[in-house]
Amino acid sequence: VSTTRHAGASVETNDSYAFCAGINAVPLMAIEFPRAAAEYAIVFTAQGDDLMPAAVLGVRNEQNLYLSADLRWKADYIPAFIRRYPFVFAASDDKKTLTLCIDEAHPGVNRAGKGQRLFGEDNKPTEYTQNVLKFLQDYQLQFERTKKFGKQLKELDLLTPMQATVTTPKGETLSVGSFLAVSREKLRALDGHRLAALAKTDALELVYLHLYSMRNFNEVKDRLVGALAQAAEPKAEPKAEAVAQ
């Protein structure tokens, strides 16, 4: 984002989340666990050498079950990864500099003065842009903290591959894989010293929030059934099961 390119640009926001209709999981920061655990199944994914939490949004690839037919968000809490759009930080090659960027393909980006301007008449960032910058700075800080949490789990070897299966009313079995979950057995096997270390950094609370959130695979199942509700035949109660192996 620069005055050279965006001096006359504005961003008009609305309640449409069409831009994320094709994603079935989004990164989640550790600070979001208390609110997200009530509505989403929180799992972990490997990103290079890092382990990062993610909120499951769908069963099928390119399917977001947390959107309504008119592309509104159907949950009380919206992950920060979604709320930051159309803005994002881009890191330099040496990872020392972050640059505020905007997706110019977003339908709300315009030069007709609709919505919030990015720069004022004095070519200085508007209050809106400053707030966006602060939000992303906070997000980046939480991102680094969340990486440390993932590193703790990795060092303690607490994570194990998991598979969630959903059976539709028509008997079709769908699987959600490529995720990791904390093993209750491995957690129970930790000695007092390691448990105390987890508790000291609040990581233990995050672990239990993650385990608690796994029940929300039933919520994902229910949303899938709702998406399939166009069939006129009566539907039996489907089953959902999440298993950590």
Side-chain angles (χ1 to χ4, degrees), residues 182-184 187 206-215:
V182 170
S183 165
R184 292 179 180 272
L187 183 62
L206 296 175
V207 166
Y208 282 120
L209 284 169
H210 150 66
L211 292 173
Y212 166 79
S213 79
M214 300 299 278
R215 68 186 180 86

Side-chain angles (χ1 to χ4, degrees), residues 132-143:
V132 167
L133 185 60
K134 183 180 185 305
F135 180 85
L136 288 181
Q137 288 172 334
D138 291 343
Y139 183 90
Q140 189 65 27
L141 177 62
Q142 295 303 329
F143 176 78

Side-chain angles (χ1 to χ4, degrees), residues 17 25 49 193 196 245:
Y17 290 88
D49 294 332
H193 176 72
Q245 302 174 338

Side-chain angles (χ1 to χ4, degrees), residues 36-58:
E39 298 181 280
Y40 305 90
I42 301 172
V43 296
F44 293 87
T45 62
Q47 299 182 3
D49 294 332
D50 297 324
L51 289 171
M52 293 296 295
V56 177
L57 302 179

Side-chain angles (χ1 to χ4, degrees), residues 24-72:
N24 68 347
V26 292
L28 198 69
M29 300 301 101
I31 197 173
E32 299 181 89
F33 275 35
R35 294 192 63 185
E39 298 181 280
Y40 305 90
I42 301 172
V43 296
F44 293 87
T45 62
Q47 299 182 3
D49 294 332
D50 297 324
L51 289 171
M52 293 296 295
V56 177
L57 302 179
V59 179
R60 295 187 171 109
N61 290 333
E62 301 183 356
Q63 179 191 51
N64 184 347
L65 294 170
Y66 283 76
L67 293 185
S68 62
D70 59 355
L71 300 175
R72 302 306 194 259

Side-chain angles (χ1 to χ4, degrees), residues 191-203:
D191 57 36
H193 176 72
R194 291 179 177 179
L195 280 173
L198 282 175
K200 187 175 182 179
T201 60
D202 293 331

Side-chain angles (χ1 to χ4, degrees), residues 119-192:
F119 295 93
E121 297 298 335
D122 56 0
N123 283 335
K124 293 182 179 180
T126 61
E127 182 179 359
Y128 170 75
T129 303
Q130 292 174 356
N131 289 337
V132 167
L133 185 60
K134 183 180 185 305
F135 180 85
L136 288 181
Q137 288 172 334
D138 291 343
Y139 183 90
Q140 189 65 27
L141 177 62
Q142 295 303 329
F143 176 78
E144 295 300 328
R145 290 175 176 173
T146 304
K147 281 175 57 177
K148 291 180 180 179
F149 169 55
K151 184 178 180 180
Q152 280 183 284
L153 299 184
K154 186 175 182 179
E155 290 174 345
L156 293 172
D157 191 29
L158 287 178
L159 295 171
T160 188
M162 62 152 289
Q163 182 177 9
T165 60
V166 175
T167 303
T168 71
K170 292 185 177 181
E172 180 185 8
T173 299
L174 303 174
S175 297
V176 183
S178 303
F179 293 133
L180 301 169
V182 170
S183 165
R184 292 179 180 272
E185 181 179 349
K186 290 183 177 182
L187 183 62
R188 287 193 293 266
L190 288 182
D191 57 36

